[in-house]
């Protein structure tokens, strides 16, 4: 009888917990990328407050975790756990300056190619130098437009 009761508890636990783990697995990669890009924006802003500038293209996002040679005032690391990769196991891209003379952080989406739509859409975020504290990326998906304020430029 005790064995039957234990088996019933295991079966009940499986039925209760499996949907929870399936739901976690279904979070769209684009949503995860938008959150990570927002974290980059905050870290880059803190870097700029300390150093007086954004990292150069040569320094890249690695400057958020390893002090560049000429970064007086650097008080990082600015990201815990190192520089993350995007949800599709590709590095994030960083341009300084990006289009229109702003800083740009982006992922090329699931297909790792420019453009696309849905999960293949580029996820972009641009920060103008005079913008101050960065804002969250905007989900503006469309064929070849990507997402975020820099999309469609």
């Amino acid at each position: 009888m005790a064995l039957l009761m234990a088996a019933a508890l295991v079966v009940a636990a499986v039925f209760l917990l499996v949907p929870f783990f399936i739901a976690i697995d279904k979070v769209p990669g684009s949503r995860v990328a938008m959150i990570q890009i927002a974290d980059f924006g905050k870290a880059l802003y803190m870097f700029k407050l300390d150093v007086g500038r954004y990292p150069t293209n040569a320094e890249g996002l690695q400057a958020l975790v390893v002090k560049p040679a000429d970064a007086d005032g650097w008080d990082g690391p600015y990201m815990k756990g190192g520089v993350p990769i995007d949800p599709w196991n590709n590095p994030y891209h960083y341009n300084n300056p990006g289009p229109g003379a702003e800083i740009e952080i982006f992922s090329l989406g699931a297909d790792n190619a420019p453009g696309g739509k849905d999960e293949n859409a580029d996820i972009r975020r641009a920060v103008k130098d005079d913008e101050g504290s960065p804002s969250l990326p905007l989900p503006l998906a469309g064929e070849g437009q990507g997402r975020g304020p820099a999309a469609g430029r």
Side-chain angles (χ1 to χ4, degrees):
M1 186 63 153
L3 187 59
L4 186 59
M5 195 72 149
L9 285 174
V10 168
V11 168
V14 167
F15 278 111
L16 290 174
L17 295 176
V18 167
F20 174 75
F21 289 110
I22 290 172
I24 288 175
D25 190 41
K26 291 187 179 189
V27 173
S30 57
R31 179 101 168 133
V32 172
M34 287 171 52
I35 292 166
Q36 287 179 323
I37 288 173
D39 288 344
F40 278 122
K42 292 172 190 170
L44 286 163
Y45 186 67
M46 293 306 298
F47 179 98
K48 183 182 179 196
L49 286 177
D50 290 344
V51 178
R53 63 173 176 81
Y54 288 113
T56 65
N57 272 338
E59 294 166 342
L61 295 170
Q62 199 61 32
L64 299 173
V65 294
V66 176
K67 182 182 185 283
D70 64 342
D72 295 333
W74 191 89
D75 194 28
Y78 299 95
M79 297 194 84
K80 294 179 183 174
V83 176
I85 56 175
D86 75 12
W88 305 282
N89 296 317
N90 298 305
Y92 282 97
H93 300 270
Y94 172 78
N95 289 327
N96 179 8
E102 65 271 349
I103 305 303
E104 181 182 42
I105 311 150
F106 64 98
S107 165
L108 293 175
D111 64 354
N112 199 32
K117 63 181 189 175
D118 300 326
E119 286 297 292
N120 291 331
D122 300 348
I123 300 150
R124 297 177 175 274
R125 180 164 184 278
V127 178
K128 295 184 186 215
D129 195 39
D130 61 354
E131 182 177 306
S133 181
S135 59
L136 291 172
L138 301 174
L140 303 174
E143 179 102 35
Q145 291 182 338
R147 298 176 187 208
R153 292 185 196 193

